[in-house]
């Protein structure tokens, strides 16, 4: 039986993309430096184009991934101006540019194009290294959340410039692998000053910043968990909220109880932040249902789920499960964690068949998933979680956009941000078919071409 990907309820062929309201008005910088900025770019000769737009030009009826063969994409002014089959391109491109010729034309040479990856869960403001912990775990020691505290110590001791450099390095690494939108959490400072600088530094690079003061209870608050929660909900939140868009909590045995988690999330929501939750990573618990109850945009990990958890996630997207026009709660799977910790992989098939919406993200962090590779996450999701290639690519792009409540990224409809990845492969299937191979030939972010490992084709 074929399993079509879950359609993105917010993306239609006639939808107008919008940028979400985020703190501050200046655009965030990115890790890599563009080699072309401004003007228009025509990508022609595309063998297979994934638009993630159901009903767009040249797509098959009932295909939410909006697959088009022999396709063209036009980028103009940092936005997608048109995307569709080559047979319609001459007239469509002429209309979109008002009769102008494209400033740059790139021949894809029959290769595949997909939207830029949307990595909706990372922890990139940190210092130090936990390679020894990884080596020990591979030798048989189980993963426990307490290892976070070693990164906390290194992060507190690092300078702002050291943390900036590490963040930039990891963002550049991600961009070279096709990631064009990234969420960054705090959580390795765990003091008011260190959490504030973490979200402040993250905000220099991306608007998708999450305050995760409730990552673990720091050593100096051992035995005084509730006092630490008071700090998180009080002075720490007040210092961090101006730089953040989201609040998050690690609702897990060894981290924060459901009651403590509710306090943190409610305080963040009262401060105007959107809600996200880490839950059900190390075992069953109440975190998933708490996330759905509070209308969280996403609940991440979802490794151990009961039938009630799955029903709650699926029900959040049903007609009666959420207020009209409000998206449900995305289940964000992080297969890099299971790869790095030897835990069981989550069951994406179970979630999708129930009607839940699934995203894929890297959870890039120095302890449990030190990878920034969204292509690797796609390959692992296909191999280990029961997803089809189409579902995994959708979840790593449009699914991540939904997890961030974004409708301007994760798809290639007119008006969307011009975030595009050219693969050195004839189809998206190669992302799973050839794991570990650097298949990203070129990436455009906001219409600007980022440095790539090779020239993807003739330009003029």
């Amino acid at each position: 039986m074929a399993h079509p990907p879950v359609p993105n309820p917010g993306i239609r062929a006639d939808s107008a993309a919008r940028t979400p309201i985020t703190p501050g008005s200046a655009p965030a910088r990115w890790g890599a430096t563009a080699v072309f900025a401004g003007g228009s770019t025509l990508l022609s000769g595309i063998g297979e184009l994934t638009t993630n737009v159901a009903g767009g030009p040249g797509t098959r009826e009932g295909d939410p991934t909006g697959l088009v063969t022999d396709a063209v994409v036009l980028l103009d002014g940092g936005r997608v101006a048109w995307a569709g089959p080559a047979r319609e391109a001459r007239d469509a491109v002429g209309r979109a540019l008002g009769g102008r010729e494209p400033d740059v034309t790139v021949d894809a040479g029959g290769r595949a194009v997909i939207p830029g990856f949307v990595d909706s869960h990372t922890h990139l403001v940190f210092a130090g290294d936990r390679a020894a912990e990884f080596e020990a775990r591979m030798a048989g020691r189980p993963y426990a959340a307490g290892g976070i505290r070693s990164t906390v110590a290194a992060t507190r001791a690092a300078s702002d410039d050291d943390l900036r450099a590490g963040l930039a390095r990891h963002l550049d690494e991600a961009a070279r692998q096709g990631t064009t939108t990234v969420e960054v959490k705090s959580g390795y400072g765990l003091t008011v000053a260190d959490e504030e600088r973490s979200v402040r530094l993250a905000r220099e690079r991306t608007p998708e910043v999450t305050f995760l003061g409730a990552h673990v209870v720091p050593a100096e608050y051992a035995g005084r968990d509730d006092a630490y929660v008071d700090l998180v909900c009080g002075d720490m939140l007040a210092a961090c909220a101006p730089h953040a868009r989201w609040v998050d909590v690690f609702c897990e045995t060894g981290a924060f109880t459901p009651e403590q988690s509710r306090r943190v999330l409610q305080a963040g929501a009262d401060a105007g932040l959107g809600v996200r939750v880490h839950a059900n990573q190390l075992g069953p618990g109440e975190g998933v249902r708490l996330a759905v109850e509070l209308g969280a945009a996403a609940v991440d990990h979802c490794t151990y789920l009961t039938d009630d958890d799955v029903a709650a996630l699926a029900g959040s997207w049903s007609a009666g499960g959420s207020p009209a026009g409000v998206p449900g709660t995305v289940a964000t799977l992080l297969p890099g964690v299971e790869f790095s910790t030897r835990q069981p992989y989550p069951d994406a098939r179970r979630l999708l068949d129930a009607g839940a919406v699934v995203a894929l993200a890297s959870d890039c962090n120095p302890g449990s998933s030190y990878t920034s590779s969204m292509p690797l996450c796609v390959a692992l999701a296909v191999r280990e979680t029961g997803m089809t290639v189409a579902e995994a690519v959708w979840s790593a792009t449009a699914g991540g956009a939904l997890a961030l409540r974004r409708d301007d990224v994760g798809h290639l409809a007119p008006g969307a941000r011009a975030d595009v990845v050219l693969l050195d492969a004839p189809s998206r299937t190669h992302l799973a078919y050839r794991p570990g191979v650097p298949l990203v030939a070129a990436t455009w972010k906001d219409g600007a071409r980022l440095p790539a490992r090779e020239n993807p084709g003739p330009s003029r």
Side-chain angles (χ1 to χ4, degrees):
M1 175 182 177
H3 298 282
V6 178
N8 184 334
I11 297 174
R12 303 180 306 278
D14 59 350
S15 65
R18 303 181 303 276
T19 303
I21 298 172
T22 53
S25 57
R29 294 183 292 150
W30 193 244
T33 302
V35 296
F36 171 80
S40 57
T41 299
L42 182 70
L43 303 178
S44 64
I46 300 169
E48 179 191 274
L49 170 65
T50 297
T51 65
N52 288 338
V53 181
T59 63
R60 299 189 306 271
E61 183 177 355
D63 174 19
T65 71
L67 196 68
V68 184
T69 57
D70 188 17
V72 167
V73 174
L74 175 65
L75 315 178
D76 188 34
R79 298 279 173 163
V80 176
W82 189 79
R87 64 181 179 273
E88 301 178 20
R90 180 180 295 276
D91 291 342
V93 169
R95 287 193 300 271
L97 294 180
R100 292 183 290 118
E101 289 294 319
D103 295 299
V104 175
T105 297
V106 176
D107 181 359
R111 285 177 272 193
V113 166
I114 63 173
F117 290 116
V118 179
D119 192 349
S120 61
H121 184 130
T122 79
H123 304 253
L124 298 183
V125 181
F126 69 88
D129 182 280
R130 284 157 66 184
E133 176 188 315
F134 173 81
E135 185 176 23
R137 191 162 62 241
M138 293 301 101
R141 190 177 80 192
Y143 173 73
I148 293 169
R149 293 186 180 93
S150 64
T151 301
V152 170
T155 302
R156 288 177 176 179
S159 69
D160 283 12
D161 286 344
D162 289 339
L163 295 178
R164 278 194 183 96
L167 174 60
R169 182 173 66 254
H170 289 101
L171 286 174
D172 181 77
E173 183 180 274
R176 291 174 186 274
Q177 298 175 89
T179 298
T180 52
T181 301
V182 66
E183 179 262 15
V184 177
K185 303 180 191 295
S186 67
Y188 292 128
L190 309 187
T191 67
V192 172
D194 286 305
E195 284 296 294
E196 187 277 337
R197 73 166 175 160
S198 293
V199 292
R200 173 169 43 82
L201 295 177
R203 185 63 186 87
E204 292 175 358
R205 294 290 183 172
T206 176
E208 299 298 342
V209 178
T210 299
F211 166 51
L212 183 59
H215 200 181
V216 294
V217 176
E220 63 268 26
Y221 277 86
R224 299 186 297 131
D225 295 13
D226 287 337
Y228 182 67
V229 173
D230 290 341
L231 178 68
V232 171
C233 295
D235 291 347
M236 192 179 288
L237 174 62
C240 293
H243 307 290
R245 185 179 179 217
W246 304 98
V247 63
D248 200 344
V249 64
F250 193 7
C251 183
E252 196 79 54
T253 300
F256 295 90
T257 68
E259 293 75 18
Q260 292 167 339
S261 299
R262 181 186 294 275
R263 283 189 59 200
V264 170
L265 297 173
Q266 191 60 62
D270 291 344
L273 302 181
V275 173
R276 323 185 70 74
V277 182
H278 284 59
N280 298 58
Q281 175 189 357
L282 304 178
E286 299 177 36
V288 166
R289 278 163 287 162
L290 175 64
V292 172
E293 177 193 337
L294 296 179
V299 57
D300 301 2
H301 287 292
C302 297
T303 308
Y304 294 91
L305 298 180
T306 66
D307 289 345
D308 287 344
D309 294 329
V310 175
L313 287 164
S316 74
W317 293 90
S318 67
S322 62
V326 177
T329 298
V330 175
T332 303
L333 308 186
L334 310 168
V337 173
E338 285 73 39
F339 178 84
S340 298
T341 62
R342 287 183 173 162
Q343 289 183 267
Y345 283 87
D347 188 348
R349 183 79 273 133
R350 180 185 180 199
L351 287 162
L352 291 170
D353 288 348
V357 174
V358 173
L360 293 175
S362 72
D363 194 11
C364 185
N365 75 84
S368 61
S369 182
Y370 200 9
T371 179
S372 58
S373 175
M374 289 295 282
L376 173 63
C377 294
V378 167
L380 290 173
V382 172
R383 174 65 179 83
E384 303 289 352
T385 77
M387 300 184 91
T388 66
V389 172
E391 287 167 339
V393 173
W394 187 96
S395 295
T397 52
L402 273 179
L404 294 173
R405 297 272 169 92
R406 296 280 293 267
D407 65 3
D408 62 330
V409 296
H411 64 106
L412 298 177
R417 289 186 179 275
D419 294 352
V420 180
V421 172
L422 174 64
L423 299 177
D424 191 11
S427 77
R428 64 194 180 191
T429 299
H430 283 238
L431 289 166
Y433 178 46
R434 304 196 68 205
V437 177
L439 293 181
V440 174
T443 301
W444 285 259
K445 177 168 174 58
D446 292 325
R449 184 167 156 186
L450 305 180
R453 63 183 180 86
E454 67 176 10
N455 186 338
S459 298
R460 66 173 185 270

